[in-house]
Amino acid sequence: MALVEKAKRVAAEFEYPPDELNRGVQEFLREMEEGLRRDGATLSQIPTYVTSVPNGTEKGLFLAVDLGGTNFRVCSIQLHGNSTFTLVQSKVAIPRELMVAKTAKELFAFLAHQVETFLKTHHMDHFEAHVRRRKTMSTKEGYREEHIFRLGFTFSFPVQQSGINKGTLIRWTKGFDIPDAIGKDICALLQTEIDELHLPVRVAALVNDTVGTLMARSYTSPGKSGALLGGIFGTGTNGAYVEKLANIKKLVDAKDAVGYDASTGEMVVNTEWGSFDNHLRVLPSTSYDSALDRESVNPGIQMFEKRVSGMFLGEILRRAILGLVQDPAVRLFSDEDSSSNDIQSTTSIAEDSALYRQWGIDTSFLSIVHEDSSQGLKVARQAIDQSLGVSAPSYEDVEAVKELVTAIGKRSARLSALAIGGVVIKSGRLQAGGSSAGTAQPTAKPPSSQEALDAAKDLNVSRAAQIVAEKVQASAATLVDEAAAVADADVIDIGVDGSLVEFYPGFEEYIREGLREIPEIGIMGEKRIRIGIAKDGSGVGAALIALVAGNQAPAQGEGYPPA
């Protein structure tokens, strides 16, 4: 069997046709509902206690800190009130000994000191003004705490959240291991150390970076009803969306839920959709997916993420390529002599090739190969040489790899459409904004092409010309009607972030193709969906959540007055 033909057969295993996509959407909707009813569901649907999204008019100076791994970032964000902002930031590595400290205090005291250093470096005028006011206060303690800055705390570890600035640590990941912190409120831990330093800061919000993506998008690209969804499509994948408060049944039953502003009738929900369909009822599955899962650190978990996110696409490709390399019938990267290679050189695979290492292929490799349209696929050849350690790959070799790359990337995007489509349908915004599926209809039926042909046969040239003109006019009117329908209806705004959606060639168009194939959305519904990049959910988004938190509970502390 020819190599490229075999590669196409393997690529066909990654096809995700419309019928499977729509079965997936229905299962996603079912799991969304289940997650809103009870804890412990496959789709977690975590209430965030954020009950409004910004509209771009907000002003003020806010702080954000981000502990997401081995670095700690401190930012200040000046919101200008016109959907723009100015950001100042600093980043410091977390000392290894503090990642495994004996007490939580050691780590959080370090974090608080970084906040202090940042304020003294970048906001000394505000800091000194606070110190002067504090020293002149005649209270019993000698000063009065004036929480000038509201701070959003992005904490990328598993947390059980029970309020907008309350959440207990469930477990550490990413190399951290401080047992003393387990079960404690991480916002309170940071606030205690900030108070020890008498800093003018209040930890106003506990932030998930996906929720931050939604908030950042809603501020920078406001619409009539704000952004609906913030989605991450990068190393991992997740989504947070605006849900009707009445639909979050489990929140009503939560005994430890802290008071929240119910006046908006809405709350942002963190779906944790990476775990969608862990039982594989509807998700596509190949032998390569199964092998990857078996040998992962968390088999049977995050099954949606393992088919969508950038962390896993390279590994899926590696296993598919290796299958062709090891198949004696097709001989990928294995010409017998230079005469069978179009570049007159013998192909060879290095002993330390990335093909032989788990996680050896980065998703950036897929982007390069997918995008290459150069003569002889020279760019892809070079990438195969440099990234895979395969010297002198033939044109047929590169074609075969490109077939696999395209199929794996396209499946990821179509699965992404499943999640986005499910949220859009669940929101009801398609119906609220007007006609969604299908296309606008012309007011009168235009003459048929057959009528024009009949007129021409009868030598009635003027009538034939009139009919053709009427058809063109009717088609133009239909297009205008469709454009007006999209313009008049509320745009459904979706903020996205991550390397796949930002850099992978054609990723958004593949998503849109999938959305058009969902009957509840259709061609017109897809046109109403605006997808835009929302950068820095853990910085700008965290600051915006701190703003919202202060508006929900103004008595608990204010942000610095708007500039």
Side-chain angles (χ1 to χ4, degrees):
M1 181 185 295
L3 172 58
V4 175
E5 182 183 348
K6 175 63 175 179
K8 287 182 177 179
R9 290 194 178 188
V10 174
E13 296 181 44
F14 294 97
E15 290 180 359
Y16 193 49
D19 59 331
E20 291 187 29
L21 169 63
N22 282 290
R23 281 202 309 127
V25 170
Q26 295 308 311
E27 175 63 16
F28 192 86
L29 288 167
R30 188 195 69 78
E31 291 192 15
M32 286 183 79
E33 292 287 0
E34 182 183 32
L36 292 173
R37 286 196 312 270
R38 66 178 183 88
D39 290 323
T42 304
L43 211 60
S44 297
Q45 295 283 77
I46 302 168
T48 66
Y49 299 86
V50 177
T51 57
S52 63
V53 296
N55 60 21
T57 63
E58 294 80 4
K59 293 182 179 181
L61 181 62
F62 299 86
L63 292 181
V65 297
D66 180 10
L67 181 65
T70 55
N71 291 315
F72 181 65
R73 186 167 66 126
V74 186
C75 317
S76 65
I77 297 91
Q78 180 73 58
L79 304 174
H80 301 305
N82 59 356
S83 296
T84 66
F85 60 87
T86 304
L87 182 144
V88 178
Q89 65 177 336
S90 67
K91 185 182 291 187
V92 63
I94 303 292
R96 175 60 192 167
E97 62 271 19
L98 291 182
M99 296 173 66
V100 291
K102 291 183 179 180
T103 66
K105 181 178 178 61
E106 295 172 67
L107 173 64
F108 285 88
F110 172 81
L111 303 184
H113 277 289
Q114 303 313 309
V115 174
E116 179 183 43
T117 299
F118 180 86
L119 289 176
K120 289 181 176 178
T121 303
H122 299 287
H123 298 284
M124 193 63 185
D125 51 343
H126 298 160
F127 185 79
E128 287 183 335
H130 168 77
V131 171
R132 286 196 299 270
R133 285 195 300 271
R134 188 183 67 195
K135 287 181 177 178
T136 60
M137 293 302 166
S138 57
T139 60
K140 181 173 63 176
E141 295 85 358
Y143 60 86
R144 185 184 77 199
E145 287 293 350
E146 293 184 340
H147 298 295
I148 296 176
F149 289 99
R150 296 182 212 156
L151 178 145
F153 185 11
T154 300
F155 186 77
S156 301
F157 300 89
V159 169
Q160 181 63 51
Q161 191 165 356
S162 57
I164 198 163
N165 66 343
K166 292 179 69 67
T168 55
L169 178 63
I170 297 172
R171 63 181 177 277
W172 289 105
T173 58
K174 307 173 187 178
F176 283 76
D177 185 17
I178 309 173
D180 177 55
I182 303 296
K184 293 183 178 178
D185 182 347
I186 56 101
C187 287
L189 289 172
L190 180 58
Q191 187 68 63
T192 296
E193 299 308 319
I194 285 173
D195 291 345
E196 285 284 322
L197 299 175
H198 305 308
L199 301 181
V201 174
R202 175 179 174 268
V203 182
L206 177 60
V207 179
N208 171 279
D209 58 354
T210 311
V211 180
T213 297
L214 168 62
M215 302 294 280
R217 175 63 183 178
S218 198
Y219 179 79
T220 57
S221 183
K224 288 182 181 179
S225 56
L228 167 66
L229 168 68
I232 304 291
F233 301 97
T235 304
T237 184
N238 189 21
Y241 73 103
V242 180
E243 180 59 272
K244 294 179 180 65
L245 200 52
N247 292 341
I248 312 174
K249 306 298 184 185
K250 65 184 179 184
L251 188 64
V252 179
D253 302 329
K255 296 179 181 178
D256 59 346
V258 178
Y260 50 87
D261 178 13
S263 64
T264 65
E266 295 179 331
M267 182 177 286
V268 176
V269 170
N270 170 21
T271 67
E272 291 293 343
W273 70 35
S275 63
F276 166 62
D277 194 28
N278 278 341
H279 300 98
L280 295 181
R281 294 185 182 95
V282 295
L283 283 177
S285 194
T286 68
S287 59
Y288 314 107
D289 296 307
S290 300
L292 181 152
D293 179 56
R294 280 196 307 272
E295 297 176 28
S296 69
V297 296
N298 56 348
I301 299 174
Q302 299 295 100
M303 302 304 270
F304 183 73
E305 185 168 73
K306 287 173 180 172
R307 286 153 175 77
V308 172
S309 73
M311 179 177 181
F312 299 98
L313 298 188
E315 179 62 10
I316 294 171
L317 175 66
R318 184 188 74 85
R319 291 172 183 274
I321 291 175
L322 203 56
L324 293 181
V325 168
Q326 295 170 346
D327 185 343
V330 294
R331 310 184 67 79
L332 177 63
F333 302 143
S334 180
D335 52 87
E336 293 179 0
D337 54 58
S338 59
S339 64
S340 62
N341 189 316
D342 66 300
I343 58 173
Q344 303 298 304
S345 183
T346 304
T347 305
S348 63
I349 305 175
E351 290 184 5
D352 63 346
S353 168
L355 290 172
Y356 303 133
R357 298 195 310 272
Q358 188 179 22
W359 314 112
I361 299 180
D362 188 81
T363 300
S364 60
F365 172 80
L366 280 79
S367 297
I368 293 168
V369 173
H370 188 114
E371 190 172 32
D372 185 23
S373 58
S374 62
Q375 185 175 7
L377 299 176
K378 292 180 181 179
V379 175
R381 286 190 188 202
Q382 186 177 23
I384 289 171
D385 187 342
Q386 294 178 350
S387 299
L388 305 188
V390 177
S391 62
S394 69
Y395 181 78
E396 192 179 27
D397 289 333
V398 182
E399 266 194 307
V401 172
K402 191 174 175 70
E403 287 286 345
L404 299 178
V405 163
T406 301
I408 292 168
K410 185 174 182 178
R411 186 185 71 164
S412 168
R414 288 177 65 82
L415 284 166
S416 303
L418 178 162
I420 293 172
V423 170
V424 169
I425 294 167
K426 176 72 173 65
S427 73
R429 291 196 184 182
L430 284 169
Q431 290 71 33
S435 174
S436 57
T439 58
Q441 298 297 318
T443 56
K445 183 179 179 181
S448 70
S449 299
Q450 188 61 48
E451 290 180 69
L453 290 173
D454 291 342
K457 286 177 183 177
D458 294 338
L459 300 180
N460 190 347
V461 177
S462 61
R463 174 56 183 157
Q466 180 185 1
I467 291 172
V468 170
E470 288 177 6
K471 283 179 64 63
V472 171
Q473 185 178 19
S475 297
T478 299
L479 291 174
V480 171
D481 287 345
E482 290 180 0
V486 173
D488 293 340
D490 288 341
V491 169
I492 300 170
D493 198 273
I494 293 171
V496 293
D497 193 12
S499 55
L500 282 177
V501 74
E502 189 169 4
F503 301 117
Y504 195 95
F507 198 81
E508 181 181 336
E509 183 46 46
Y510 285 142
I511 289 176
R512 290 191 173 278
E513 177 187 273
L515 292 173
R516 289 191 291 270
E517 293 171 3
I518 300 171
E520 295 92 334
I521 297 175
I523 295 172
M524 287 299 291
E526 177 269 319
K527 288 180 180 179
R528 288 177 52 198
I529 296 171
R530 180 174 62 197
I531 300 174
I533 298 296
K535 297 300 293 180
D536 201 6
S538 62
V540 178
L544 287 161
I545 296 173
L547 179 152
V548 169
N551 292 341
Q552 291 180 191
Q556 296 178 2
E558 297 297 327
Y560 198 84

